[in-house]
Amino acid sequence: MDYLERYLETEGIWHRFIIKRETVHTKDAAEVTGIELHRISKNLACRTGEGEYVLLIIPGDRKANLPAAAEILNVKDLSLLPFGEAEAVTGYSPGGTPSIGHRLKMRVVLDRCLIGFETFFCGGGSRDRLLELRTEDVKKRTGAVIGEICSGN
């Protein structure tokens, strides 16, 4: 049992893993699993201009609107982390990053588009799994702020 599985079990968080071929991008994960792209989240590790790490959770068919997220977080600047740094901060390689259970505690912004789903899918801790979580659990466990932080395809 890996760290993510132990975390979910210990915390009593409802979840379901989907085993798949190894992928990095949400579009590829959607294609190999048959899950609709807008139901698979991108979990984007970012850094504010002040050096604080934050996580943006957006639908897989959208792009992050960093200025909108910065405004919600009340920070001047926000930038995506390079893959290597994102892995060091979250504890997971890009393509496997879940919406909860990270190495460092971060502020989280959850895009409003995902709120309408009872559950959504995210990285499952490795590039060969997806993880289905209840949206409400992600909100509660991360203390996520809800906002419109993405733009169209």
Side-chain angles (χ1 to χ4, degrees):
M1 187 180 292
D2 65 20
Y3 172 80
L4 180 58
E5 290 174 278
R6 278 192 307 277
Y7 170 79
L8 295 166
E9 293 296 328
T10 301
E11 296 295 320
I13 299 170
W14 180 90
H15 64 281
R16 180 171 67 113
F17 284 105
I18 310 285
I19 305 301
K20 63 177 180 63
R21 176 175 57 80
E22 188 171 302
T23 60
V24 176
H25 302 287
T26 54
K27 182 178 180 187
D28 297 330
E31 287 175 7
V32 301
T33 61
I35 297 168
E36 295 172 296
L37 181 56
H38 67 276
R39 299 261 338 264
I40 302 174
S41 69
K42 293 178 184 176
N43 298 279
L44 305 172
C46 301
R47 183 186 320 102
T48 68
E50 294 79 24
E52 175 190 12
Y53 294 114
V54 298
L55 186 75
L56 308 181
I57 304 174
I58 66 171
D61 63 342
R62 302 292 181 94
K63 293 184 178 168
N65 180 334
L66 296 178
E71 187 175 325
I72 288 167
L73 291 163
N74 198 29
V75 297
K76 281 177 118 174
D77 189 36
L78 190 64
S79 59
L80 293 172
L81 295 179
F83 273 16
E85 190 175 356
E87 185 170 354
V89 169
T90 66
Y92 304 97
S93 60
T97 307
S99 299
I100 59 176
H102 304 108
R103 176 174 288 155
L104 296 178
K105 183 156 176 57
M106 297 177 274
R107 283 200 290 167
V108 174
V109 183
L110 179 64
D111 190 82
R112 188 173 307 285
C113 293
L114 292 168
I115 296 303
F117 300 116
E118 182 179 343
T119 66
F120 68 89
F121 299 85
C122 59
S126 63
R127 292 178 175 168
D128 62 355
R129 294 190 306 195
L130 285 179
L131 172 62
E132 183 179 16
L133 294 167
R134 288 188 176 118
T135 307
E136 194 59 36
D137 287 341
V138 173
K139 283 174 37 183
K140 285 180 185 174
R141 297 292 174 157
T142 64
V145 174
I146 310 304
E148 293 179 18
I149 58 166
C150 61
S151 53
N153 318 7

